[in-house]
Amino acid sequence: MAASFPPSIPSRPVYGTLTARPGTAHLMVADGEGAAALTDMLARAQDAAGLLARSHIIYMPGPTGTDLWASLNALGAAQCHRSPSFAAALPRLQQVLSDAHMGLQIYVAGTEGLIGQVQREAMLAGLPWQAVQTEHRGSTVRRVQCVHCKGITENVRTDPFPCSHCGLNLFVRDHYSRRIAAFQGVNIDAEDPGQVPAAVVRFT
Amino acid sequence: MSVGAAKIPVRVAEVVEVNPLIKRFRFQRRDGGPMPVFSGGAHIVVDMDDHGTRRMNPYSLMSDPADTSGYEISVRRDEAGRGGSLFLHRHVTVGMEMVISSPINLFPLDARARRHLMIAGGIGITPFLSQIAALQAHGGQFELHYSARSRDFAAYADDLTARHGDKVRLYLDDQGQLINLNSLLQGQPLGTHLYVCGPKGMIGWVRQTAETLGWPLAAVHSEEFLAPPVGLPFQVQLAASGKTITVGPAQSLLEAIEAAGVTAPYLCRGGACGECETDVLGCDGQIAHNDHWLTDEQKAGDRQIMPCVSRFGGKTLILDR
Amino acid sequence: MGLEFNDETFRGDYTFRNSARAIARFPFPFHEDSYMYSVNMEPHLPGRPGSVFEHMFDVDEHYVAEMRDRALVLAEDPLRCQSLPHMTLAGWDLLELIMEAKARDYPQWFSLTKDGHQWHWINRPLQIEQTFTFLDDTTLPCGPMEYITRQTQGDFTLQDQRDDNLWIEAGMVTTQADWSLDFDIGMSFHEWHAPVPLAHEMRVFDRALKFLLNLQLGAPVRRFNWTMTVDPLLDTSPENYPKWGPSKTTMTAETIGHRQHLRVELQTLHRLPRSNAIVFPIRCYLIRFEELVTVPKWARRLHRVVRDIPDELATYKGFLRNKPLMLDYLSKYDDGAPTSPGFWAD
């Protein structure tokens, strides 16, 4: 089931539960445990077969190694593709969005990093971001942008953590940017250089 | 708190009968100065003194936003309405001095849209005229589908097709021409925004079809001014001012409050913007919530009312004004 | 540079200072002896002559030096000025608003002549002369928002209005109190304000948003915000936090009068005509404690405000660490006498 994040500041994204919606085409993207959100949605759908006949599924394993490809491949969707990573899937995703018409329904499930990046691509293609359905499943590791050097560190597990680009020690805020598809990281020892609290594993 | 801009004193420069139902009015500033530039889809509120009854009705600006020499509106005569359009049609002549508001836009184009798909019915064509002019000036793709009962009642259709050719499609009821909405809405590239303005039924049909075909709400825009409906007179107690007023059948609650010398905030005067929201301190009867602003819960609770369009029937209504 | 404009720096040797005139007209933000958030908006009508709200956009003795500092910030970090593509029209609206206001209010320094869409702009203090075609970006050296805000004091954000919300989608932000334009661009009103403590529970932002969605052409509003800064540093950006953060730890009782600054933001909000967007100028005024205490009423009041402010606010505004030092300094100027209501000096 979808994990709920504790209530936080208004810029912290809130995810939902995927529901089949009327549309002329359906794009489903998932990573890791997100595959189960897709199969759960289809199990609840009134006309799953009709939906799948107009569906394009893109799947990649999750950051902690979970790989549920078999369950999606068995669905019989019109198109179903397994990608090794989001970076590898990106050109395909952009092409699908570029060819798409209004009426396309988009469903994303899995890690926040995947959800944010797919939502961003949809926004860049001109679809209002609110139209993308999202459901969080699986790992809570975060994409964090260092506000100082602008580099993004993937799969952040601890707070604080060292920026993978410039090395500054950063604390992880809940302040989130849809455009960058990342949380914000800020130097934790700016005022007292060297005084860095012990890293706590916050995201798994 | 409502911080309003100054009103604009104007003189009627032109009155043109466009067709048996529609008249066009052109306003120029009495001081000869330029009108404020506005954004396509904006409207003004026209202040009218109809033989002692004050009316303030919203009308879409149809003129080119960059034309600061004057503003133009087109008004469809509505026999069954409260009288604002009838007043304009029957009593407003060239040279008459009137007062209008600054432009307000509750129906703007979405600046991010790759393409603007416009559907107009009858007098609903007016906001699209200023929007199309704006798109011509600033760049932007559009396509207009305009439905009217017959050629004679398709105001401005000839001008539009002459200027914009294929981008404008006309559908005449008396020739059995119907917009093929399903086909139209399925063929739009991602990033298209849909705009509809016209009779309530048409707006409902377009919105319903768009939803069925999977268009997101945020990409569908409509404007429909609710003219306050005519109704039975009713009494209201204004607790804060210590006055009791009677709202006439052709008068809105907001107009009655203003006529009693009590100031109440307002903006669109058409049930859409929320500015006139008023607390209900006591209610023994039925409030007719005719607005688009309050939530269903709020309407059921009867603790707030939008006086610009809503009415009351029953024993007592007490407001915090 | 004429006598009218200071030759001063906001970094390095920090030669910034306020003349007696600047101190007298400083926008002291507290109208009473305590502080809490409110939607404290009022019409931005022409105010008291000589004050910072006499004109729509205030130009003061710091103008030339602030523009020089802005240019330095942008050279180091171009991401401080961004405009999403659909906001260019709003940028033109802003250029028109500022040029017309300044040419009208300060004709000795600025002039604007128009021949249809051919405009001719002269900015004497910055020695700029530009002819260009209004609405044609190929005729300006950069986008219209960047062009005009490189010549105007204060930060600017442009907010697109849609879906019953405001979206921050363009801005020039080089004098900010610790928020990142690059990160926040694209956010909605509540999202952009998310990090502010307490105010959300008080529904300050719900009411502010409702009010702003109805903001009309020709009816701008203004309000104040404030914080504290060590040294007259305009660029207190999160990007540069590792550079300016440590300065908070080097304050002493001897240096606090000179180094501790009250930083006041005069914020205004204007509806723009062609784009229907809202521009949000955030004009920053700095005064060091030793300048401020020359006005007895302000010295007393500031002491009381700082003394009674909740720790959460002091933390969010970044001065909790030095609050004790501030109180030691300011208490010497507070004899407990009553202060008059309102923010004007007696």
Side-chain angles (χ1 to χ4, degrees):
Chain A
M1 285 315 305
S4 270
F5 292 103
S8 179
I9 57 177
S11 54
R12 199 248 181 273
V14 172
Y15 309 101
T17 306
L18 300 183
T19 313
R21 282 217 201 113
T24 47
H26 303 266
L27 173 64
M28 304 177 190
V29 187
D31 72 348
E33 289 84 341
L38 293 178
T39 49
D40 285 352
M41 169 186 73
L42 287 161
R44 289 188 301 266
Q46 268 197 333
D47 177 20
L51 202 73
L52 285 163
R54 288 169 293 154
S55 290
H56 186 150
I57 302 178
I58 301 175
Y59 179 76
M60 59 221 80
T64 55
T66 309
D67 187 345
L68 300 174
W69 164 247
S71 63
L72 294 179
N73 198 23
L75 291 171
Q79 289 166 281
C80 195
H81 174 77
R82 183 183 188 286
S83 184
S85 66
F86 179 78
L90 185 57
R92 183 186 190 98
L93 175 63
Q94 288 173 335
Q95 182 67 41
V96 169
L97 290 170
S98 154
D99 291 343
H101 290 90
M102 291 303 283
L104 172 71
Q105 296 304 313
I106 304 183
Y107 313 81
V108 195
T111 59
E112 293 196 80
L114 176 75
I115 292 173
Q117 290 179 93
V118 173
Q119 212 174 29
R120 177 174 63 187
E121 292 302 320
M123 271 164 59
L124 289 172
L127 197 68
W129 62 269
Q130 301 94 327
V132 177
Q133 287 197 60
T134 64
E135 183 170 337
H136 173 262
R137 295 276 185 119
S139 174
T140 59
V141 295
R142 292 189 175 186
R143 274 169 54 90
V144 183
Q145 190 206 43
C146 173
V147 75
H148 313 290
C149 78
K150 306 297 173 181
I152 292 179
T153 305
E154 303 275 355
N155 302 328
V156 171
R157 296 178 65 245
T158 70
D159 188 9
F161 74 97
C163 172
S164 65
H165 300 266
C166 71
L168 279 176
N169 293 299
L170 308 177
F171 69 93
V172 182
R173 296 179 90 186
D174 274 3
H175 197 38
Y176 177 88
S177 160
R178 263 185 308 276
R179 189 181 73 106
I180 295 169
F183 290 90
Q184 193 178 58
V186 181
N187 187 207
I188 193 165
D189 58 332
E191 293 182 23
D192 307 285
Q195 285 190 32
V196 183
V200 172
V201 175
R202 268 184 70 194
F203 318 108
T204 50
Chain B
M1 181 171 35
S2 160
V3 188
K7 303 275 206 181
I8 308 176
V10 296
R11 185 172 294 112
V12 178
E14 214 175 54
V15 178
V16 175
E17 186 179 298
V18 177
N19 63 43
L21 274 180
I22 295 176
K23 270 191 179 175
R24 181 172 71 247
F25 300 86
R26 181 175 171 80
F27 301 111
Q28 286 172 351
R29 289 183 74 115
R30 284 187 231 164
D31 63 14
M35 292 293 206
V37 174
F38 60 95
S39 49
H43 68 272
I44 51 171
V45 177
V46 179
D47 207 328
M48 297 173 264
D49 177 2
D50 182 0
H51 305 91
T53 303
R54 189 179 181 206
R55 305 193 185 289
M56 296 173 75
N57 283 15
Y59 296 102
S60 295
L61 288 167
M62 56 167 278
S63 39
D64 184 338
D67 177 11
T68 57
S69 67
Y71 284 166
E72 288 178 351
I73 63 172
S74 281
V75 179
R76 185 191 188 284
R77 194 180 68 240
D78 182 1
E79 311 286 351
R82 293 182 321 132
S85 67
L86 286 173
F87 174 81
L88 285 164
H89 272 253
R90 290 185 189 149
H91 300 289
V92 172
T93 52
V94 172
M96 207 160 139
E97 292 187 345
M98 299 185 78
V99 175
I100 63 173
S101 71
S102 275
I104 303 143
N105 200 338
L106 300 177
F107 188 50
L109 293 169
D110 191 310
R112 304 162 300 165
R114 308 298 158 91
R115 196 153 197 268
H116 306 272
L117 180 60
M118 303 166 170
I119 300 182
I123 194 61
I125 189 66
T126 46
F128 295 121
L129 295 169
S130 66
Q131 288 183 342
I132 288 170
L135 287 171
Q136 295 287 101
H138 310 311
Q141 281 192 48
F142 76 93
E143 196 177 284
L144 169 68
H145 297 261
Y146 179 17
S147 166
R149 61 164 85 162
S150 70
R151 187 124 228 146
D152 287 344
F153 288 95
Y156 311 114
D158 290 340
D159 189 55
L160 283 165
T161 45
R163 283 210 237 182
H164 305 294
D166 281 350
K167 294 192 203 162
V168 175
R169 292 274 310 267
L170 188 60
Y171 305 80
L172 302 175
D173 291 350
D174 68 351
Q175 295 190 23
Q177 294 165 342
L178 290 172
I179 300 178
N180 187 344
L181 197 56
N182 269 290
S183 158
L184 185 61
L185 295 187
Q186 286 184 59
Q188 300 301 317
L190 217 61
T192 303
H193 280 251
L194 173 62
Y195 309 82
V196 52
C197 185
K200 199 168 171 160
M202 178 193 223
I203 294 179
W205 168 56
V206 171
R207 283 194 160 276
Q208 182 59 43
T209 311
E211 187 180 335
T212 309
L213 292 174
W215 280 65
L217 270 174
V220 181
H221 315 274
S222 60
E223 182 168 63
E224 184 211 346
F225 290 118
L226 293 174
V230 187
L232 295 170
F234 59 95
Q235 263 205 349
V236 180
Q237 290 175 45
L238 302 178
S241 342
K243 295 185 178 182
T244 300
I245 59 171
T246 302
V247 183
Q251 185 185 39
S252 75
L253 171 53
L254 179 61
E255 287 166 346
I257 291 170
E258 290 167 340
V262 174
T263 335
Y266 69 87
L267 196 66
C268 79
R269 300 182 81 87
C273 74
E275 190 69 8
C276 71
E277 187 176 317
T278 299
D279 287 332
V280 176
L281 301 174
C283 172
D284 183 359
Q286 280 273 62
I287 294 179
H289 293 282
N290 298 318
D291 62 283
H292 285 321
W293 176 257
L294 297 174
T295 63
D296 289 340
E297 291 73 28
Q298 285 176 307
K299 289 182 181 179
D302 281 344
R303 304 281 282 273
Q304 292 95 5
I305 188 174
M306 309 306 294
C308 63
V309 289
S310 297
R311 301 186 73 79
F312 172 77
K315 283 183 41 202
T316 324
L317 180 66
I318 308 172
L319 301 183
D320 186 12
R321 282 275 172 235
Chain C
M1 177 150 18
L3 289 169
E4 302 158 310
F5 301 108
N6 297 355
D7 183 2
E8 61 194 353
T9 58
F10 298 91
R11 58 180 65 206
D13 56 357
Y14 290 118
T15 60
F16 165 85
R17 74 277 177 201
N18 282 306
S19 67
R21 175 179 182 266
I23 293 171
R25 74 194 296 271
F26 184 82
F28 189 70
F30 308 109
H31 63 279
E32 58 187 1
D33 284 352
S34 64
Y35 174 76
M36 186 31 77
Y37 296 126
S38 61
V39 182
N40 51 334
M41 301 208 248
E42 57 173 356
H44 186 39
L45 296 167
R48 199 183 276 202
S51 75
V52 304
F53 13 76
E54 179 182 0
H55 300 302
M56 184 174 282
F57 294 100
D58 180 48
V59 178
D60 67 8
E61 66 195 38
H62 306 296
Y63 176 54
V64 175
E66 283 190 35
M67 297 298 95
R68 184 185 300 133
D69 193 74
R70 164 158 290 163
L72 288 171
V73 173
L74 289 169
E76 287 164 5
D77 184 2
L79 293 175
R80 305 297 192 82
C81 179
Q82 295 188 48
S83 174
L84 296 186
H86 62 279
M87 297 303 281
T88 307
L89 185 61
W92 283 110
D93 279 338
L94 178 63
L95 177 145
E96 175 189 60
L97 182 71
I98 293 174
M99 284 190 178
E100 288 186 349
K102 286 193 164 176
R104 176 190 64 225
D105 296 333
Y106 301 99
Q108 72 277 33
W109 290 328
F110 307 98
S111 66
L112 177 66
T113 46
K114 303 182 194 179
D115 176 11
H117 276 164
Q118 302 313 310
W119 290 23
H120 182 214
W121 163 251
I122 299 177
N123 177 338
R124 286 175 199 91
L126 296 183
Q127 296 168 311
I128 289 173
E129 184 165 357
Q130 180 81 41
T131 51
F132 61 100
T133 307
F134 188 67
L135 296 177
D136 183 351
D137 1 347
T138 64
T139 63
L140 278 179
C142 54
M145 179 194 68
E146 181 180 348
Y147 180 77
I148 195 57
T149 56
R150 276 180 177 267
Q151 302 177 45
T152 315
Q153 289 168 278
D155 285 344
F156 292 81
T157 73
L158 290 172
Q159 296 165 37
D160 194 18
Q161 177 159 332
R162 46 176 209 268
D163 304 331
D164 279 330
N165 215 325
L166 294 172
W167 305 85
I168 171 176
E169 294 185 330
M172 165 69 86
V173 179
T174 63
T175 70
Q176 72 272 58
D178 205 11
W179 64 278
S180 168
L181 174 71
D182 179 57
F183 194 76
D184 287 5
I185 215 174
M187 290 188 187
S188 70
F189 191 78
H190 282 79
E191 289 167 351
W192 169 34
H193 289 103
V196 181
L198 296 180
H200 290 271
E201 293 83 340
M202 292 170 62
R203 308 205 44 167
V204 164
F205 296 120
D206 292 343
R207 282 180 261 128
L209 178 62
K210 260 198 179 172
F211 179 87
L212 290 174
L213 290 174
N214 290 334
L215 189 69
Q216 294 190 71
L217 275 174
V221 295
R222 61 171 176 252
R223 68 179 292 272
F224 286 110
N225 192 23
W226 67 275
T227 187
M228 298 281 190
T229 304
V230 175
D231 298 323
L233 175 66
L234 285 174
D235 177 24
T236 51
S237 58
E239 283 83 354
N240 286 333
Y241 178 47
K243 293 187 202 158
W244 55 266
S247 68
K248 294 189 206 182
T249 64
T250 59
M251 193 92 79
T252 66
E254 289 72 40
T255 59
I256 190 167
H258 189 73
R259 294 185 68 199
Q260 186 65 54
H261 289 69
L262 176 64
R263 184 193 193 103
V264 176
E265 291 173 353
L266 170 59
Q267 304 176 342
T268 56
L269 292 134
H270 311 244
R271 174 71 64 186
L272 296 173
R274 295 167 191 80
S275 59
N276 201 44
I278 288 180
V279 63
F280 181 39
I282 307 168
R283 174 66 194 280
C284 172
Y285 294 85
L286 291 168
I287 189 168
R288 49 175 51 100
F289 274 19
E290 66 191 13
E291 289 169 338
L292 184 140
V293 298
T294 62
V295 180
K297 167 180 169 179
W298 291 351
R300 292 187 184 99
R301 177 160 293 166
L302 184 62
H303 171 249
R304 296 165 197 178
V305 167
V306 174
R307 180 191 64 203
D308 299 336
I309 198 165
D311 276 358
E312 224 171 322
L313 253 72
T315 306
Y316 172 66
K317 290 183 184 290
F319 66 86
L320 187 67
R321 177 194 289 262
N322 285 322
K323 185 169 154 177
L325 268 178
M326 291 183 190
L327 290 176
D328 285 343
Y329 180 85
L330 291 170
S331 59
K332 297 199 287 282
Y333 299 92
D334 186 359
D335 56 3
T339 49
S340 60
F343 45 68
W344 301 106
D346 290 325

